[in-house]
Amino acid sequence: GYRATEEIMKFARAVLGSLASDRPWHAIRQGAPVLLIHCTDSGQAVALLADRLLNLIRREPHANVALIARHPAQADLYYEGLSRADLPRLRRVRQYDFGFQPGVEVTDIAQVKGLEFDYVVLLDVDRATYPEDDASRYLLHIGATRAAHQLWLVTTQHASALLPPEVRSVLL
């Protein structure tokens, strides 16, 4: 766990379930809890994210944030909504063209393996997008472990059953 906090590592290990190795995992630091943000629809999710991300950018102007969707169409939806909200330093990443600069990059999970961001927001972490199968476990784990400081999960439907119970209970 050289990259992520203990809270993120515990979440990532729980998501893997039976796919996790028996080798102990150790994080070198504590951090903020993994947060689940449940919204009624994608419009509410975009509005809430725009507000929270704007506050984050003001508070931490040098932070880099990745909004990660499982599918490119989901990333497009959130990018378009956040663009209309005039979120500054917003970029849509499609072909590994990350800026690695302060701001918010919206992408899909296929683009992020091996990368690191200060903050990660996983989008549409629901039962339809991340069903109970090994591929979903693996992809959710990859997305979660891209976060160095904090991980937010956004859902507009029933949260994925892959989420550990302690995370599912943290609703904003």
Side-chain angles (χ1 to χ4, degrees), residues 28-49:
I28 58 172
R29 60 193 165 86
Q30 300 287 310
V34 173
L35 296 179
L36 175 64
I37 302 168
H38 182 77
C39 300
T40 57
D41 56 43
S42 58
Q44 183 188 36
V46 167
L48 188 113
L49 282 172

Side-chain angles (χ1 to χ4, degrees), residues 71-89:
H71 305 290
Q74 292 167 315
D76 289 340
L77 176 80
Y78 281 88
Y79 175 77
E80 289 166 13
L82 291 169
S83 293
R84 285 191 297 275
D86 291 325
L87 191 66
R89 297 181 284 169

Side-chain angles (χ1 to χ4, degrees), residues 38-167:
H38 182 77
C39 300
T40 57
D41 56 43
S42 58
Q44 183 188 36
V46 167
L48 188 113
L49 282 172
D51 183 57
R52 288 183 172 262
L53 292 169
L54 186 57
N55 288 335
L56 177 62
I57 289 168
R58 287 179 180 148
R59 195 175 62 247
E60 296 185 44
H62 299 291
N64 67 332
V65 181
L67 273 63
I68 304 171
R70 182 162 184 180
H71 305 290
Q74 292 167 315
D76 289 340
L77 176 80
Y78 281 88
Y79 175 77
E80 289 166 13
L82 291 169
S83 293
R84 285 191 297 275
D86 291 325
L87 191 66
R89 297 181 284 169
L90 178 69
R91 295 178 293 280
R92 174 68 171 93
V93 175
R94 288 186 177 83
Q95 297 294 320
Y96 307 101
D97 54 344
F98 290 93
F100 298 107
Q101 299 170 1
V104 178
E105 297 185 302
V106 183
T107 192
D108 60 273
I109 204 139
Q111 308 287 316
V112 299
K113 191 169 181 182
L115 302 180
E116 176 181 329
F117 304 91
D118 296 324
Y119 295 86
V120 166
V121 180
L122 294 178
L123 302 168
D124 295 335
V125 185
D126 55 53
R127 292 179 185 172
T129 304
Y130 291 96
E132 286 186 85
D133 59 39
D134 288 352
S136 295
R137 286 183 185 282
Y138 180 67
L139 291 173
L140 195 53
H141 174 267
I142 287 172
T145 57
R146 303 306 93 204
H149 301 299
Q150 191 167 18
L151 175 62
W152 301 346
L153 312 169
V154 175
T155 185
T156 58
Q157 300 177 20
H158 293 289
S160 172
L162 300 177
L163 302 184
E166 62 273 11
V167 172

